[in-house]
Every structure is written in C-alpha cells, then in structure tokens.
Amino acid sequence: MTTNSLVPAPIAQLPWKLIFLIIAIGTFGGLCLYSAAGGSIRPWALTHFIRFFALLGVAVGISYISPQRFRDLAYPAYFVLLILLVVVLVIGVVGGGARSWLDFGPIRLQPSELMKPVMVLVVASFYASLPASEIRKWSAIWPPIALTAIPAALIILQPDLGTCLLLLFSVATVMFLAGLPMRLFIGAGVAVAAAIPIAYNLFMMPHQQKRVLIFLNPEDDPLGAGYHITQSKIAIGSGGLFGKGYLNGTQSHLHYLPEQHTDFIFPAMVEEWGLIGGLFLLICFALMFRWGMAVALDTKGRFERLVVSGLTMTIFFYFAINLLMVMGLAPVVGIPLPLFSYGGSAMMTVLICLGIMMAIDRDNRRDRRGL
Amino acid sequence: MRKRGIPLITENSQSYTFTRRAMVLGGFQAGIAVLLAGRLSYISIAENERYELLSEENRFQLVLVPPRRGWIVDRHGQPIAINRSDYRVDLIPDQLKEPERIIPQLAQLLALPPEEVERIHKELKLAAGYQPVAVAENLPFDKYAAVTLRLPEMPGVAPLRGFSRFYPEGAAVGHLVGYVGAANKEEYQKEKNPLLITPGFKIGKEGLEKVMEQRLRGKPGAKRLEVTARGKLVRELASVRDTSGGTLPLTIDAGLQAFAARRMGEESGSCTVLDCHTGDILAMASMPAYDPNAFSDGISTSEWKMLSEDERRPLLNKTLNALYPPGSTIKPMVAMALQGAGVDPSDTIFCGGGWRLGNRFFRCLGRHGSVNMHRAIAKSCNSYFYAMGNRVGYDTIAVMARKLGLGVKYDLPVVSQSYGTVPDSEWKQRKYKQKWTASDTLNASIGQGYLIVNPLQLAVMAARLASGRDVNPRLIGTGKAAAPIDAPPEHFETVRKAMWEVVNGDGTAGRSRLPFPDIAMGGKTGTAQVRRITGGQRGQSGDWKYRDHGLFVCFAPTDNPRYACSVVIEHGMGGSRAAAPVAKDVLTYLFDKEKAMQALLPMEEAWGGNVAQRMQRRANQWLAANGKAPGA
C-alpha cells in the first residue's frame, strides 16, 4: 500500500483493517443497544453511536501523533491523573456506589479510566529508559510497583475493584514483557494463589464471600446474588445456534437480564443473534488483538512495543473478564465489553488505547518505508 | 526455560525475550478465545434445550384458575350450597415490602376492625412465601375498587375477584353440609397441591363439604401469563378452562330441613326425618347451629369463642354426635323383642305404680292397673316392660335393638358419628368385668341405664318399625325400597297399632295429632333422665341443664307409613310436651306446607324472629356481655 492515485496517501495509510473491525464491533453494539431499549434509539443507541464515531475520530486523530510525544507526556499525564484521583475521592460524584466521577458540566470524567493507558505508557517508558543490564536487578522492580501502587490504592478507595484489577493486570503484563525474571511471576502467582483462602477468610466481608461462593455455584441462589449469572446463561443458552431473532430477545426485553446495556450486553446480543452472532463478535475481537500483537512484534522501539502490547492486553482484559463473567467462568465484577457496551468512559479508554496503537503502527510503517 | 548462571543481558537478548513472551501472551489470548468460543458453543448448543426451557419459565407464569365448587342441591334440585361472586383482598408475604405502611393503609381503606388487623399481623408472621394471607373477603365493589386503584403504591397486596360459598338456608343446614375454609398448613402438606394455596381457594372443613371434597372441588384451569422480571403482565396467553366441581344431589328436602330447623325454635335438639321405604334422609336438623356462611368468610376468634362456650352446643351435630338415653321411645322395639320371644301381646301385667324385683321397687310413672302390650305402649307403662323384660332377658332384647338399627354405625358420608351402646351381658362383662343383673335388664327395658343412642338411630328404628323394612339411612342420591326385616309382619302390626294409640287414642301424645282427618301419625314419647332422681327432683324443674330430655319417635301415615321421624329436645322435660309437637308440625309440612307454615309463623313471632335474627341478637348480647362492640 504505497501509492495509489485514486485514494489520497494520508487516507490510504490508515490501518483500514483495524478500523473496519472497530466499526463492526461498535456498530453491532449500537444495534444491540437499540434492541435492548425495546427497539428504540433512546436512551442508549443514539448516544452510543454519537460517542463511538466521535471517539473513533479522536482515535484517528491520535494516530497522527508521534510516539515520542506519548513518551514525553507519560509522566506529566500520570501526575495530573494522580491529582485528579485524589480530587475525585474528595469531591467526586457517587455513581453505582463508588465515588469515581468528576462532573465538569456536560462532561463527566472518570480519571481511573484514563489512568489505564497512561499507566501502560509510564511503565513502558520506565523500562525503555532502563539499561538492559539493569533488568534483573531490584531497581527494575520497585519503581513500577511504586508507580502503580499509588493510583491502585486511590482507585480501590473509590471503591472500584474492577478498574483496579485491570490496572494491575496491565502493569503486570508490561513488566512481564519487559523481561523481568520469570520466577518473579511464578512466585507472585503462587503467592496470590496462597493468599486467596487467607484473604477470603480474613479480609472479605460476608457479602463478598457470598459472591465468591455463588460464582462457584450460581444455581444455589437463583433469585439473589446468583441471579445475574443464571439469567445471563439463560439468555446465551436460549439463543441456540441462530438466536431468537433481532429485537426478539425475551430475556432482555422483559428485564430478566440485569444491566443488559452495559456489563450484560453480550448475553443480550447472543440471545437474539445466537452462537453465530457470538462467534462473529469473538472473531472480530480476536482479529483486533492479533493486529495489536502483530504491530508489537513488528515494532523495533522498546517503548513502542511495550506500549502496543500492553495496551492490547489492557483491551484484552476488558474483553476476557467481561465474557468470562457473563458465561459464568469468573465472578461478577463490573467490567463492560469494550466498544460494545453502553458507556462513555470505557469506550474513551479503549479508543484512546487504539489511537495510540495506530500511531505507533503508523510510525512503524513509515520507518519501514524509510529503510 | 532460560539457562542457569549469570545471563548476559543485552538489547538483543531483551528483544528476544520480548518476542518470546509476546508469543506466550498471544498464546494466552488465543487460549482464552478458544475457551470462550467453546463455552459459548457449549451453552448455546449442548445446553440450549435446558436454557430455552428456563427462559420460557422465566417469561411465562402459570397461574392456577381455581375451579368453582360444585353445588350441593336437595332431592328436588333446590340449591343448598352455591357460589356467589366475591371481591376479596389478600396479602402475598413474599412481595409485601413495607407491612408497617401498607397494612394500616389497607385497614383504613377497608374499614377493618382492630381485631382483624391483629389477626392479619399474626397470620403474616406465620405465613410462608407465597401463601396468601386474607385481608378481607366479601367486599362491596367500591371498597375493592378503592384498593385496586392504589395498587401501584402497595406491592404485595392482591385484590381478587373470586367466588365464595353461599348457603341460602344458613344455620338450618350448618351441621348437615359443614363449611369451607382456606386450607391450613397441614392440609397443604398432606396434599401438596398448589391449588390449596391459591388465594381465595377454599376446601371443605366439616360435614359434607369435607367428606365430599374431591367430588365438589373440580379441576383447576390454568392461565399462561407473560410477565416481566418485575412481575408486570405483558399479555395473557391461551388458557385451560377450569372444570367446575360436580353437583352433589342430596336425599334432603331443603324445604323440610329449613322448616324443621326453624320449628326447633329456641330449643336445643335435633329433628330427623327419613323416607321409611328407602332410608333417604329428608331432614337432619340439629339446632342451634352455626351459620356456615360465617365460616366461609373466615370466622373471628370471638365468634368462635361464643359458639364454643354456648351451653346449647351449637358446634355439635346433635343428630349424629349427641347420645341420649332413649327413654320410653324404645318401648315399641322392646315390644317387638317380646313378641319374638313368645310373649303374647294380650298377656297382661298389673301396674300398681311400679314393679318389685327382689327387695327393690322399680317405679312406674302412674298406676295403670291391668295392662297388655297395646296399652303398655300407649300409656308408656314401665311396670309392663319391667316384668316382661325380666321374663325374656335383655340379651334377647339387645338382638332386636340392633336389628332395628340401634347401636349401629351407618355407612354415611359424614365426618363422624357416635353410635352409642346397646348393652348385653357379654358387653357388660367386657366393659365392667361384671355380671349382667336383672336390674340392668329392667333399666334398659325402659330405655335408661346403659342404653344410649343417637337421634338418627331413633329415626331409623322408627322407620324400620313403620315399614318393616331393613332401611339404612342415605344422604346422597335416591334409594330403592329396602328389603323386609326378618320378623313376622303381625308383630309390626301390633306395635304400629299401639303407636297409633299413643297419638290418636288414649295415649301420651294425644295433643300432637296431625291436623288432617285422613292422615294419622303413630308415635312414642320418651323422657330421658339427665341425672339421678333425688328427693322431689324429677328433672321437671330447676336449672335447664339438669332437666330431662324430651324425645319422640313417630311415623305417618299410619295406614301406609311413608315417613319416619325422631325428635329430641334437650332438657325439654318430656317427650309429649316438647318433642311430639315439633314432630307433628314437621310431618304436617310434608303433607301440607301452608298449614305447617301457618303454625310456625306465630311461634317464630313469639320467639322473636327467624333463626338468623335470633342468632344475631344472641351474638350481640354475647358481645355486649363480653365487652365487645356488636357486629354488623
């Protein structure tokens, strides 16, 4: 894709394959939100489309920024967001039981969301600056841990366990890719596994313990805390191979499926589109992640490859946790399906991530052309 | 895995590590994707059927439509128990979120008395899950509408249009049909039928309503409702119609039953009328009684207390469950036994006011001089039966007593019957480990002592004597004429003639002739001691509860008996005084309704109104005496 007389070069250079995937997912999400509202563009579908295309424009805009700028801006953005996280805790808006929003009139900002890509940039930036020989030393470990611990603590105070976990997973992924000794990860994994029963017994509130038990056996409490999972599986399972047909989902339209516009949009979609629709969406996402990992492997710069792979994994964690949750393979934590669910903050985060990845991809290809 | 030792880390090796680890992550992603795709396929293909069913179960609610209870009608098809349209309000404990707010609001809307509010709170505490708690039944439409309008602000409140059982004759049929009520926990546990906990559904609790429950109940219908998760109705789908319960035709003559009950007036007792060819029970009135309508609305504790404390025992079915010494009413039966044992009806005994057995003198109520069987029955001479009973022995008489239906439990669809005792020597040995004595015979021969019977048995005895047929009482359907009893017809004839004399000749019930020139009644009076005769007390005065019972058995017409009847008036002091006049009017009703009503109406006026009015007055008196506000 070098020169084409019909299409102007700046447009031809866009990663069209990725953009089509993004549009496919976002549009499909919008269609499902239209159905979830009972065949109405209000209250979700219209807002979703406007937000989606606006943020997609922003992402394409970001793709023109040079990767070096992200590296320069990483630490300043990190500190600004830290301050905002503190401000949120002090004067934030309470929504869904957590104090995580800042209200700026028409725009409500959730600093914890923006922190996810910025955290990846900061940690990637740290490892890019670290001399290769230092990687096995203690000094390669504690700075990123300290950098992560502060926002993680502020987020858990909101309290927003889901976002906090995503942040930790993303940072851990970047550290893993940076080449820290393998035994650290194995050791940490063993430690977490050992800590789970202790944490369960000592630190978890009874309602949290209950949630874990119910995750293990949702049918035990079909009307209580297991309700979400049970109804979600009913929605998915009753769809069958081809689904009940668009706008014909009973689980979602009769409100048996809770939060069918955000966390549980996927079962609402599968109910109407069946296994075919579900697999289509899985494939779209899989191609998106493949694109991300391919860009990371193609990229030469240490910062850039850590950023691209880290951001890919960030989006992947959204995707994986949400779907594992709605299929009853993970406990219910409030994490939306990126680009597909209704909700501005997660969409903004994901599209910013994609924008940064596209920017690196663009830079990457320009380098290659230059060679 | 990487090599041991001190690795040399360079930009290159780091890049290599990155590539390798990125591949690991890519593999991890692919693994998760495959896991998700597999899980998705498994749920939507392998478990599709199960989840499809669950999704339907979510969406559709099967609502039982209670069947209408079958009618109970009399022998002519006239209704005894029917169903009336009824507006009611229930509470569903599981859906009731704010009882502290909603119950006072309901109490105000429906003008519930504090007693009811207390009951609702109490029942709510005991209620489980979806079992509804009745708030009010038989509501007028405007109150029902007032609740319906406010429904959105009162979750857990369920107004319902249903049917309630109605007994047009009220207390007159109380003991006969029993009553219905909401099933209790034990009844539900036993049957596990969801119908039983459907709001407003009633099952038979007593009498025929209980015994014939399965026949009267019918089959519930079902409605499929599509509902949202919050229980809002989306639409109603095809429904299965309910099947009403079967109509239950009784042998009862509803008019006669009501008349008999009314004719009892302020007395406590029973009146049983049989068709003496078929055994069909035409009337089985036991008064005073409860109003079964009051029970089907759910009876209040004070109503229950009043009924259970009443010394006239309105909760007891006196035709089946009250036992009395039959007194002289069994003398015709004894006469049958005597004849069977070879006593010639023309044999005489001299009555000088009693009969001596060893050193004991058994008293007669008069000095009858020389009496034969005919005269002994007509005048109710004890001396004759002492002497003759002593001659043949009671074991012979007991056989005839059973043959004529005493001491027998009948095959009837009733909750319970007490069948009393027909004693004999073997019985006494078994029960008291004592020998039967001649004085036992004498006492039993005049219907006292160990002999106790219920009023239905007396009616059956009268019917068997009247027809000579082995009739058994029946309550349902219509019967055929029964087979003759194995005894010479002339024996019956002797007894019937003597019974004719009791009423129409020089007998004890001369004042109770039927008011017809061509229809005569034959009968026998009886007076049963309630306590031992002491001093001058003969049970003819003093406290009501110590007075003698008055009994009367009869049949009519004497020339071709069709109807047999027994009347027992508790503490009525004498058969001829209290019981025979009732029998006379009741039999009159069978031949001429108008004439009978003409006799009844002035009596009711003197008693202070009809049964319902008098019951209401009594209830208000009771409530006032117990410091409670009178009911509506």
Side-chain angles (χ1 to χ4, degrees):
Chain A
M1 50 159 84
T2 45
T3 45
N4 188 319
S5 54
L6 279 176
V7 184
I11 294 176
Q13 280 163 19
L14 285 172
W16 282 111
K17 191 183 137 192
L18 176 71
I19 290 174
F20 279 134
L21 283 173
I22 295 171
I23 290 177
I25 295 170
T27 310
F28 198 6
L31 289 176
C32 290
L33 288 170
Y34 177 80
S35 171
S40 161
I41 56 166
R42 280 172 214 288
W44 303 312
L46 185 64
T47 322
H48 174 87
F49 276 119
I50 292 172
R51 257 196 313 233
F52 173 71
F53 284 108
L55 287 168
L56 181 59
V58 170
V60 171
I62 291 175
S63 77
Y64 286 94
I65 299 173
S66 148
Q68 187 56 43
R69 294 293 297 279
F70 299 126
R71 196 167 170 180
D72 295 343
L73 283 171
Y75 283 99
Y78 172 79
F79 286 112
V80 169
L81 283 174
L82 269 193
I83 291 164
L84 286 180
L85 278 176
V86 174
V87 173
V88 154
L89 278 181
V90 179
I91 59 157
V93 181
V94 177
R99 189 180 286 274
S100 55
W101 302 85
L102 280 178
D103 206 337
F104 297 115
I107 296 170
R108 302 179 100 199
L109 188 70
Q110 204 176 348
S112 55
E113 279 291 334
L114 281 174
M115 198 53 152
K116 285 174 223 166
V118 169
M119 204 66 234
V120 170
L121 291 175
V122 165
V123 177
S125 168
F126 169 80
Y127 284 111
S129 324
L130 193 75
S133 53
E134 298 276 299
I135 196 71
R136 305 202 64 123
K137 294 186 177 160
W138 177 237
S139 57
I141 298 165
W142 72 261
I145 288 181
L147 283 171
T148 315
I150 300 165
L154 290 172
I155 291 169
I156 202 83
L157 281 175
Q158 288 179 354
D160 187 348
L161 180 67
T163 303
C164 181
L165 281 177
L166 277 182
L167 197 68
L168 294 178
F169 285 160
S170 305
V171 171
T173 311
V174 176
M175 291 170 86
F176 175 72
L177 290 167
L180 287 177
M182 201 64 181
R183 57 190 149 83
L184 272 183
F185 297 96
I186 295 171
V190 171
V192 168
I196 285 174
I198 297 167
Y200 177 85
N201 284 318
L202 292 182
F203 299 113
M204 276 183 148
M205 309 284 274
H207 75 270
Q208 290 169 321
Q209 296 182 340
K210 196 176 167 200
R211 223 190 241 190
V212 173
L213 289 179
I214 282 154
F215 155 64
L216 296 173
N217 198 2
E219 274 83 7
D220 269 2
D221 189 12
L223 291 174
Y227 181 80
H228 289 52
I229 284 305
T230 308
Q231 296 301 335
S232 172
K233 287 201 279 185
I234 291 175
I236 296 171
S238 64
L241 190 54
F242 297 107
K244 294 175 184 169
Y246 186 53
L247 298 177
N248 283 332
T250 56
Q251 284 288 105
S252 57
H253 291 181
L254 299 177
H255 310 290
Y256 290 99
L257 197 58
E259 296 173 57
Q260 39 152 333
H261 61 294
T262 55
D263 297 355
F264 288 86
I265 183 81
F266 181 78
M269 181 274 283
V270 176
E271 186 186 16
E272 296 187 352
W273 298 85
L275 178 62
I276 301 299
L279 288 179
F280 170 75
L281 194 63
L282 284 184
I283 289 167
C284 285
F285 274 106
L287 291 173
M288 183 196 271
F289 301 131
R290 206 184 70 158
W291 178 87
M293 294 315 276
V295 170
L297 288 172
D298 261 10
T299 308
K300 287 290 167 282
R302 183 155 162 76
F303 170 74
E304 286 83 353
R305 55 171 34 178
L306 284 179
V307 165
V308 175
S309 50
L311 293 179
T312 305
M313 286 307 288
T314 301
I315 303 173
F316 175 78
F317 284 131
Y318 272 100
F319 161 86
I321 295 177
N322 177 272
L323 290 191
L324 287 171
M325 169 183 90
V326 300
M327 292 186 208
L329 295 172
V332 176
V333 281
I335 287 179
L337 188 57
L339 305 175
F340 202 75
S341 289
Y342 181 79
S345 293
M347 187 185 278
M348 182 181 68
T349 310
V350 171
L351 280 167
I352 287 175
C353 290
L354 288 166
I356 296 171
M357 289 157 71
M358 284 192 283
I360 292 168
D361 175 53
R362 177 188 302 280
D363 187 57
N364 205 10
R365 280 181 291 168
R366 201 179 47 218
D367 284 358
R368 207 180 301 157
R369 258 201 320 280
L371 280 174
Chain B
M1 283 278 129
R2 64 180 60 230
K3 268 189 224 150
R4 299 231 168 229
I6 305 145
L8 185 69
I9 297 165
T10 62
E11 295 274 338
N12 254 345
S13 74
Q14 208 167 41
S15 173
Y16 176 63
T17 304
F18 173 83
T19 308
R20 214 172 40 173
R21 292 197 177 180
M23 295 300 233
V24 170
L25 280 188
F28 168 70
Q29 288 178 336
I32 294 277
V34 169
L35 171 70
L36 288 172
R39 173 75 169 168
L40 185 62
S41 311
Y42 178 75
I43 296 179
S44 49
I45 304 291
E47 297 195 297
N48 172 244
E49 214 166 294
R50 174 174 159 234
Y51 284 124
E52 213 161 61
L53 197 76
L54 285 172
S55 118
E56 295 289 282
E57 259 176 39
N58 258 347
R59 187 176 150 206
F60 295 117
Q61 230 174 48
L62 206 62
V63 176
L64 281 178
V65 181
R68 284 199 224 178
R69 206 169 170 79
W71 283 20
I72 300 178
V73 300
D74 84 341
R75 63 191 296 114
H76 307 300
Q78 192 186 327
I80 291 176
I82 57 177
N83 306 302
R84 273 203 311 200
S85 211
D86 166 33
Y87 297 101
R88 55 180 290 115
V89 172
D90 294 289
L91 286 176
I92 310 297
D94 255 19
Q95 295 171 351
L96 186 67
K97 295 284 176 264
E98 307 161 81
E100 322 77 37
R101 177 177 69 82
I102 288 171
I103 295 176
Q105 197 181 346
L106 272 180
Q108 194 224 323
L109 280 176
L110 302 173
L112 298 177
E115 188 183 274
E116 280 293 287
V117 177
E118 201 178 298
R119 173 192 63 82
I120 293 166
H121 279 293
K122 212 192 286 169
E123 285 184 19
L124 211 50
K125 243 175 244 160
L126 298 171
Y130 278 87
Q131 179 163 7
V133 169
V135 173
E137 295 170 291
N138 287 337
L139 289 170
F141 181 75
D142 56 334
K143 282 190 178 170
Y144 169 81
V147 173
T148 316
L149 277 176
R150 287 170 181 78
L151 212 51
E153 51 188 275
M154 301 196 292
V157 176
L160 210 84
R161 222 200 111 172
F163 293 95
S164 69
R165 200 66 157 161
F166 179 63
Y167 307 92
E169 290 296 349
V173 296
H175 291 303
L176 176 68
V177 296
Y179 51 87
V180 295
N184 59 32
K185 234 174 207 166
E186 293 79 53
E187 282 157 339
Y188 174 68
Q189 289 300 330
K190 208 159 70 185
E191 226 181 299
K192 288 276 181 215
N193 185 344
L195 182 62
L196 295 192
I197 50 171
T198 304
F201 185 74
K202 303 284 173 66
I203 61 168
K205 293 280 196 172
E206 186 53 70
L208 283 166
E209 293 276 29
K210 182 177 184 179
V211 180
M212 304 308 287
E213 172 64 23
Q214 293 308 324
R215 174 161 173 184
L216 291 168
R217 184 183 288 175
K219 285 203 184 68
K223 260 193 298 203
R224 254 158 73 92
L225 305 180
E226 188 177 3
V227 290
T228 69
R230 288 174 201 93
K232 210 180 115 208
L233 182 68
V234 179
R235 63 200 157 119
E236 201 178 306
L237 289 124
S239 57
V240 183
R241 276 190 64 91
D242 56 295
T243 314
S244 295
T247 301
L248 183 67
L250 301 184
T251 58
I252 296 291
D253 178 329
L256 182 72
Q257 171 83 17
F259 183 87
R262 288 170 69 178
R263 181 59 187 82
M264 304 286 286
E266 293 289 84
E267 303 287 0
S268 168
S270 65
C271 173
T272 312
V273 183
L274 298 184
D275 180 317
C276 61
H277 287 229
T278 59
D280 288 359
I281 299 175
L282 300 176
M284 195 161 74
S286 160
M287 294 299 280
Y290 51 81
D291 183 348
N293 291 308
F295 279 83
S296 70
D297 300 349
I299 192 165
S300 71
T301 45
S302 66
E303 255 178 300
W304 178 262
K305 195 157 180 275
M306 179 186 86
L307 290 170
S308 53
E309 281 177 358
D310 192 330
E311 63 176 354
R312 301 184 309 159
R313 293 179 296 173
L315 292 173
L316 181 78
N317 184 348
K318 298 187 182 74
T319 45
L320 295 169
N321 291 318
L323 294 170
Y324 308 93
S328 308
T329 54
I330 47 104
K331 284 174 181 165
M333 177 278 288
V334 178
M336 284 295 293
L338 297 178
Q339 292 180 80
V343 175
D344 190 317
S346 59
D347 282 0
T348 59
I349 287 288
F350 183 78
C351 169
W355 195 74
R356 182 171 296 280
L357 175 74
N359 57 1
R360 268 186 76 185
F361 189 68
F362 287 76
R363 301 187 70 89
C364 185
L365 289 170
R367 291 162 177 276
H368 299 108
S370 174
V371 288
N372 61 8
M373 186 177 283
H374 183 87
R375 199 166 156 71
I377 291 174
K379 295 304 245 182
S380 200
C381 174
N382 287 352
S383 303
Y384 177 86
F385 289 96
Y386 291 144
M388 291 305 184
N390 194 50
R391 188 190 292 178
V392 303
Y394 202 78
D395 284 353
T396 312
I397 299 170
V399 171
M400 180 54 74
R402 293 190 193 105
K403 211 173 194 174
L404 293 184
L406 303 184
V408 174
K409 188 173 185 173
Y410 304 119
D411 180 23
L412 283 175
V414 294
V415 175
S416 79
Q417 43 180 321
S418 311
Y419 48 94
T421 307
V422 170
D424 57 20
S425 53
E426 191 264 331
W427 170 87
K428 193 182 177 192
Q429 190 62 45
R430 192 175 66 235
K431 178 119 192 201
Y432 294 105
K433 310 270 180 282
Q434 281 173 4
K435 274 207 151 52
W436 184 267
T437 66
S439 56
D440 290 334
T441 299
L442 266 50
N443 278 328
S445 297
I446 61 156
Q448 304 284 355
Y450 297 119
L451 182 66
I452 46 171
V453 301
N454 72 33
L456 176 65
Q457 289 169 337
L458 286 179
V460 171
M461 178 186 76
R464 292 188 184 174
L465 284 170
S467 63
R469 292 173 189 276
D470 188 25
V471 292
N472 275 293
R474 310 163 36 87
L475 255 180
I476 292 170
T478 45
K480 289 190 295 237
I485 291 178
D486 171 32
E490 56 273 20
H491 292 185
F492 286 106
E493 208 42 56
T494 313
V495 170
R496 284 198 285 257
K497 274 192 179 130
M499 289 175 80
W500 178 91
E501 184 81 19
V502 169
V503 180
N504 304 287
D506 179 24
T508 51
R511 284 175 301 171
S512 298
R513 283 179 198 133
L514 292 184
F516 307 108
D518 51 344
I519 306 171
M521 162 172 94
K524 180 72 199 79
T525 56
T527 301
Q529 284 169 24
V530 171
R531 63 172 185 182
R532 289 176 88 59
I533 297 165
T534 50
Q537 288 269 0
R538 287 242 43 182
Q540 297 296 306
S541 59
D543 275 358
W544 178 78
K545 60 180 176 183
Y546 297 126
R547 293 179 197 164
D548 292 344
H549 298 311
L551 303 93
F552 190 66
V553 296
C554 60
F555 59 86
T558 41
D559 45 9
N560 181 17
R562 184 72 220 187
Y563 305 112
C565 169
S566 80
V567 175
V568 176
I569 303 294
E570 289 188 337
H571 313 293
M573 296 193 286
S576 60
R577 172 180 171 170
V582 174
K584 169 198 152 186
D585 287 344
V586 169
L587 289 185
T588 302
Y589 180 91
L590 281 167
F591 300 107
D592 188 338
K593 291 184 178 128
E594 262 174 51
K595 206 166 226 162
M597 291 308 286
Q598 275 164 20
L600 175 66
L601 292 174
M603 280 190 251
E604 277 198 334
E605 217 162 283
W607 295 326
N610 62 27
V611 177
Q613 288 165 336
R614 282 180 278 131
M615 280 176 71
Q616 187 60 56
R617 192 163 329 115
R618 267 176 190 269
N620 286 342
Q621 275 166 10
W622 186 88
L623 288 169
N626 286 270
K628 293 192 171 80

